[in-house]
């Protein structure tokens, strides 16, 4: 009778002991955690990103379907694009945006204090000295779109800020009846 040939234990480098069960389980757990992290983090990121994108689309849909002034400040991006720097601390802020293939307009109104008016004018590229007393720079068509009326007997001052294209042109009309709390009306127009 012949006995089967027994294999020799695997050759281990000097000083290394075979891996015991505890180390093997630990190594497998670490490998599993790494795989879960490598797959789970990107998958979680994609899920969160998809949710934010969907919510953003809904917000934009609501905003684009709005008719007339919205009673909140325009986003920082709109302020930068249309160069309409609503000052911090302004109240009764409202805006409306229109866009078509030819022009885009941002209508903004707010009440502020004297410092806020100076801030707005400076950052819009003009100053109080450029405001012409009695001048209403916003046309009837633009005023009608958002429901603005510029009544007689009000202390109006206005100016137009013309910038090099493609930057916007801004018509600014200010109600200075109460100079401590001026009411600003601005229409910023971009023609790409």
């Amino acid at each position: 009778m012949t006995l089967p040939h027994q294999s020799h234990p695997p050759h281990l480098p000097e000083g290394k002991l075979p891996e015991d069960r505890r180390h093997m389980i630990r190594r497998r757990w670490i490998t599993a955690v790494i795989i879960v992290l490598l797959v789970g983090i990107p998958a979680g990121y994609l899920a969160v990103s998809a949710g934010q994108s969907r919510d953003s689309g809904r917000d934009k849909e609501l905003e684009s379907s709005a008719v007339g002034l919205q009673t909140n400040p325009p986003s920082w991006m709109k302020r930068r694009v249309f160069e309409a720097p609503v000052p911090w601390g302004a109240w009764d802020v409202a805006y409306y945006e229109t866009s078509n293939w030819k022009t885009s307009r941002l209508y903004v109104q707010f009440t502020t204090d004297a410092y806020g008016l100076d801030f707005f004018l400076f950052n819009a590229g003009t100053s109080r000295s450029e405001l012409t007393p009695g001048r209403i720079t916003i046309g009837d068509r633009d005023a009608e779109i958002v429901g603005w009326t510029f009544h007689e007997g009000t202390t109006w001052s206005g100016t137009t800020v013309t910038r090099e294209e493609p930057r916007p042109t801004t018509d600014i009309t200010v109600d200075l009846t109460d100079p401590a709390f001026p009411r600003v009306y601005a229409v910023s127009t971009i023609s790409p």
Side-chain angles (χ1 to χ4, degrees), residues 38-57:
L38 287 173
V39 172
I41 289 175
Y45 173 78
L46 287 174
V48 168
S49 179
Q52 289 174 341
S53 178
R54 184 177 56 245
D55 292 344
S56 173

Side-chain angles (χ1 to χ4, degrees), residues 60-164:
K60 286 186 173 118
E61 181 182 355
L62 284 172
E63 183 177 338
S64 66
S65 67
V67 176
L69 291 167
Q70 297 181 48
T71 56
N72 57 329
S75 69
W76 287 103
M77 184 189 74
K78 285 185 197 307
R79 294 181 205 187
R80 286 184 57 207
V81 168
F82 287 96
E83 298 188 40
V86 177
W88 185 86
W91 61 94
D92 295 331
V93 181
Y95 81 98
Y96 181 64
E97 181 183 8
T98 62
S99 293
N100 61 37
W101 64 275
K102 193 175 178 184
T103 58
S104 295
R105 285 185 177 88
L106 181 69
Y107 301 81
V108 179
Q109 70 180 33
F110 58 88
T111 303
T112 187
D113 55 17
Y115 173 78
L117 177 61
D118 291 335
F119 170 88
F120 170 76
L121 293 171
F122 175 78
N123 286 289
T126 189
S127 66
R128 275 190 199 243
S129 64
E130 298 296 317
L131 291 175
T132 305
R135 183 170 177 218
I136 298 171
T137 57
I138 297 171
D140 292 338
R141 179 187 169 280
D142 285 330
E144 186 178 321
I145 288 172
V146 290
W148 292 338
T149 53
F150 300 106
H151 298 291
E152 297 275 331
T154 304
T155 308
W156 298 110
S157 287
T159 189
T160 297
V161 179
T162 305
R163 302 174 186 94
E164 191 174 316

